[in-house]
Amino acid sequence: MMRKLYFIVLTGLFLTSCEKALFEEDLASTSPKENFEYLWNECNEKYSYFDLKNIDWNSIKSEYSAKIYNGMSEDSLFKVLGGMLKELKDDHTNLISNFNISSFGVNYLGQDNFDWRIIEDNYLFQDYYVSGPFRHNFIDNKEIGYVRFPSFPGTVDPINLNFVLEKYKNTKGLILDLRENGGGAVTDIFAILSRFVERKTLVNYSRIKTGAGHNDFSNAEPVYVSPYSGVRYKNKVIVLIDRGTYSAGSFFSLATKALPNMILIGDTTGGGLGLPNGGQLPNGWTYRFSITQALTLDKKPDYENGVPPDIRVLFDWNDVTKDEVLERAILELQ
């Protein structure tokens, strides 16, 4: 039996759970038109960034509905529906079938600014530490700690962080490399940031879509970071970012704007500050798109288009013996 499925992914207000499934009536249909109308309407009523991105969803409906016809193949239908979702320019927006997945590819909006091999060969060498999800070592004559964090896997724990922060407690500063970090578990954001604050700190606001109108949202609710009761790092922290820093990586970057001891260096992040809602089309394909907004301290949603760095630096691919972004971070900590 085909049933409509929603996954409500909760905002920073509701971090005790990631997803909750709700089931409704039988909606089974393989009709291309019905599946198109269903997906367009779901986005129209629940997507959270139409106005910010200046998207004319009615115009997009006219454009893509003209490509729908009876008897079209599944592959053809997938290309039309996936193409329509790509118009949202949001990597939290996907169409998923058993033969393909559509995505936008926000990281391709900027140049590549990270190569792990360059860091291994020229900065860390081969004797660096691996502590859970962190790869790290001293750099710059052991005066700076470098920590690579490639994703938010949900496995950050006090043992990992205690070891890392104790090791570099006497350094001039810490470099946390989030380039090409595509996101993951929001719990990791707070586990890490709690080590860099000395008091409960408001870092952003969050609101969720509540009605069919494009501007129907809940009230903006505050999101705080509270200090960890144990080991904390009190010196300056540089966070390296790029267009591949997405979702939880962008949430983390947004929070640093409220923390005076943290500086963003690199390129603008990929955004992804709207947490996704997932559902099922009448033909069984699944989809998701953003249904929340993370807001700045002045309650604006603008950083969905990317959290800007405090200091913008790009890679020079004509010289693969150094990492210009990392070099600028080292200079900042001198």
Side-chain angles (χ1 to χ4, degrees):
M1 174 175 159
M2 186 70 65
R3 290 175 296 182
K4 181 178 179 182
L5 169 64
Y6 289 114
F7 293 113
I8 304 301
V9 182
L10 303 178
T11 70
L13 296 168
F14 317 110
L15 293 174
T16 55
S17 173
C18 288
E19 296 179 345
K20 182 178 180 182
L22 302 175
F23 297 89
E24 294 186 3
E25 70 276 7
D26 190 335
L27 294 171
S29 174
T30 58
S31 164
K33 182 177 180 181
E34 288 184 20
N35 280 275
F36 173 86
E37 292 286 343
Y38 183 89
L39 182 58
W40 185 90
N41 283 321
E42 285 291 288
C43 290
N44 185 56
E45 294 183 1
K46 298 171 184 175
Y47 183 65
S48 56
Y49 284 111
F50 284 121
D51 285 357
L52 176 66
K53 296 185 177 183
N54 196 29
I55 295 170
D56 185 342
W57 197 233
N58 288 312
S59 176
I60 288 172
K61 180 179 185 179
S62 296
E63 176 185 351
Y64 282 87
S65 64
K67 301 176 183 180
I68 299 293
Y69 57 92
N70 290 331
M72 65 191 306
S73 68
E74 286 195 328
D75 187 29
S76 295
L77 177 61
F78 187 93
K79 289 177 180 176
V80 174
L81 299 187
M84 181 175 70
L85 290 184
K86 287 181 183 180
E87 297 285 353
L88 299 177
K89 298 179 173 59
D90 185 337
D91 276 344
H92 276 156
T93 299
N94 306 103
L95 181 65
I96 303 165
S97 72
N98 60 357
F99 58 85
N100 203 0
I101 298 174
S102 73
S103 60
F104 175 64
V106 70
N107 56 302
Y108 295 112
L109 296 178
Q111 72 166 61
D112 190 5
N113 287 295
F114 178 77
D115 188 320
W116 175 243
R117 182 62 182 269
I118 291 175
I119 293 173
E120 283 187 305
D121 289 349
N122 300 285
Y123 298 92
L124 297 187
F125 307 105
Q126 298 299 314
D127 61 345
Y128 57 86
Y129 289 79
V130 179
S131 304
F134 304 104
R135 289 176 278 182
H136 59 97
N137 211 341
F138 289 100
I139 60 174
D140 195 43
N141 295 319
K142 296 191 174 182
E143 293 186 333
I144 295 171
Y146 170 89
V147 182
R148 170 65 180 158
F149 190 54
S151 68
F152 288 81
T155 58
V156 171
D157 62 38
I159 296 175
N160 301 150
L161 280 169
N162 286 347
F163 181 84
V164 172
L165 298 181
E166 283 283 1
K167 188 171 185 63
Y168 306 113
K169 64 183 179 181
N170 294 320
T171 56
K172 290 181 177 179
L174 199 63
I175 297 172
L176 180 60
D177 197 340
L178 298 186
R179 288 174 292 176
E180 295 189 359
N181 182 319
V186 292
T187 53
D188 284 349
I189 300 172
F190 296 91
I192 297 172
L193 286 175
S194 69
R195 303 305 190 103
F196 302 127
V197 296
E198 295 301 308
R199 63 186 61 84
K200 184 177 180 180
T201 304
L202 174 67
V203 293
N204 67 275
Y205 290 87
S206 184
R207 62 182 184 177
I208 190 169
K209 199 76 167 53
T210 57
H214 287 185
N215 286 303
D216 291 342
F217 288 94
S218 66
N219 292 329
E221 298 290 343
V223 178
Y224 294 92
V225 172
S226 296
Y228 182 70
S229 59
V231 178
R232 298 192 299 275
Y233 188 84
K234 300 181 181 181
N235 294 336
K236 188 180 292 187
V237 179
I238 305 295
V239 181
L240 307 186
I241 57 174
D242 66 357
R243 292 300 293 183
T245 306
Y246 192 74
S247 192
S250 284
F251 279 105
F252 190 100
S253 301
L254 171 60
T256 69
K257 297 290 189 180
L259 307 179
N261 62 325
M262 304 188 80
I263 299 173
L264 297 176
I265 293 181
D267 198 5
T268 301
T269 73
L273 291 173
L275 296 179
N277 165 69
Q280 188 176 64
L281 295 183
N283 68 359
W285 298 345
T286 57
Y287 63 87
R288 67 174 195 161
F289 51 77
S290 300
I291 62 165
T292 73
Q293 290 184 345
L295 310 176
T296 59
L297 292 180
D298 54 0
K299 298 185 179 180
K300 294 181 180 179
D302 301 12
Y303 285 169
E304 167 60 15
N305 290 323
V307 180
D310 300 306
I311 302 172
R312 189 169 188 265
V313 184
L314 302 180
F315 234 69
D316 179 3
W317 288 100
N318 293 313
D319 182 359
V320 294
T321 66
K322 66 178 181 180
D323 181 328
E324 286 77 12
V325 183
L326 180 54
E327 290 285 347
R328 183 62 181 83
I330 293 171
L331 179 63
E332 189 67 21
L333 294 174
Q334 298 302 319

